Amino acid sequence: MCTRKNIRLKNFSYKGFGPYFITICTYNRQKLFGHIQDSEFIYHNDELKKIFENAYKTLEDEFSGIYFDVYCTMPDHVHFIVSNNTEGRIHLNNIISKYKVLISKNYNNLVRQNKIPAYNKKLWQNYYYDHVIRNDKELEYCYNYIVNNPRAASFKVLLAKWNREAEIERLKLMDRERKEKYN
């Protein structure tokens, strides 16, 4: 049986003040939420977009003292920075759990209405990635990472396409050279 390494900071309560950088991935990185087009993320439809926007507002209302500074949805994951100013009342796990439940419940409603693609087995991976943001420099870095994530993903897609096209051209050239050599 595989044991997952605990990536949480030892001796840190996760109920503390300050912002956290969060990444939550879909189960098996299924591309369920939309696509990248012209360096922007496009949701499958406006109803799905509303589900994500409402989740952040709902959590801020429910857990007085937490704030979502910035967020970004991608085809198979989400990033956000959440500040927890609840003076130790709310643990980060509670925020993430509630977020996953809110999105899942509303996502399932749209699936039942055949408005978005169904997922395989489950919507979210069990775990999430967090980083405790310790200073303004880290906050700026994380903020910029989130804001620029669709652009970076778009660039990676273009780069992969160019690499595939270059490889195809290289193979064609090698095939022509081989044919010329043996003719």
Side-chain angles (χ1 to χ4, degrees):
M1 183 166 135
C2 181
T3 305
R4 185 172 177 92
K5 180 183 170 195
N6 187 351
I7 60 172
R8 306 289 174 250
L9 288 176
K10 291 181 193 264
N11 303 320
F12 188 81
S13 76
Y14 287 91
K15 291 182 179 181
F17 291 104
Y20 302 93
F21 170 79
I22 305 295
T23 300
I24 309 172
C25 297
T26 58
Y27 180 72
N28 287 338
R29 298 300 294 254
Q30 299 171 82
K31 295 183 183 336
L32 299 169
F33 305 138
H35 62 279
I36 302 293
Q37 180 179 320
D38 299 327
S39 299
E40 285 188 46
F41 176 75
I42 309 296
Y43 287 91
H44 283 303
N45 61 41
D46 287 337
E47 290 174 83
L48 185 59
K49 180 179 181 179
K50 258 311 188 216
I51 287 172
F52 281 92
E53 290 172 350
N54 289 341
Y56 299 107
K57 175 84 172 97
T58 298
L59 289 170
E60 286 178 344
D61 291 345
E62 184 172 325
F63 298 121
S64 179
I66 70 159
Y67 305 95
F68 291 91
D69 300 313
V70 64
Y71 51 86
C72 170
T73 307
M74 296 294 285
D76 60 357
H77 65 281
V78 295
H79 295 296
F80 54 82
I81 296 174
V82 60
S83 294
N84 184 352
N85 299 324
T86 63
E87 300 177 6
R89 291 182 294 113
I90 308 295
H91 194 284
L92 183 60
N93 284 339
N94 297 93
I95 298 167
I96 302 303
S97 295
K98 184 68 175 188
Y99 177 86
K100 286 180 171 183
V101 166
L102 279 172
I103 299 293
S104 297
K105 177 183 165 201
N106 291 304
Y107 190 96
N108 288 334
N109 288 338
L110 290 181
V111 168
R112 281 191 287 280
Q113 297 171 38
N114 294 317
K115 293 184 176 181
I116 55 175
Y119 49 85
N120 183 17
K121 295 188 181 178
K122 57 185 182 175
L123 183 59
W124 300 111
Q125 288 184 3
N126 291 337
Y127 301 96
Y128 61 91
Y129 170 81
D130 71 77
H131 172 75
V132 179
I133 299 173
R134 296 175 181 91
N135 56 48
D136 289 342
K137 185 177 178 182
E138 284 187 3
L139 180 61
E140 182 180 356
Y141 174 82
C142 293
Y143 183 92
N144 288 330
Y145 180 88
I146 292 170
V147 169
N148 292 312
N149 201 237
R151 185 177 303 118
S154 184
F155 177 73
K156 288 176 188 173
V157 168
L158 273 176
L159 189 59
K161 180 182 178 215
W162 291 335
N163 285 339
R164 282 191 309 275
E165 290 171 354
E167 181 63 14
I168 289 168
E169 290 303 314
R170 187 183 71 78
L171 292 172
K172 286 179 183 176
L173 179 61
M174 286 175 54
D175 190 47
R176 277 195 307 269
E177 289 173 349
R178 193 176 17 216
K179 286 178 182 176
E180 288 173 2
K181 183 177 178 181
Y182 293 108
N183 285 333

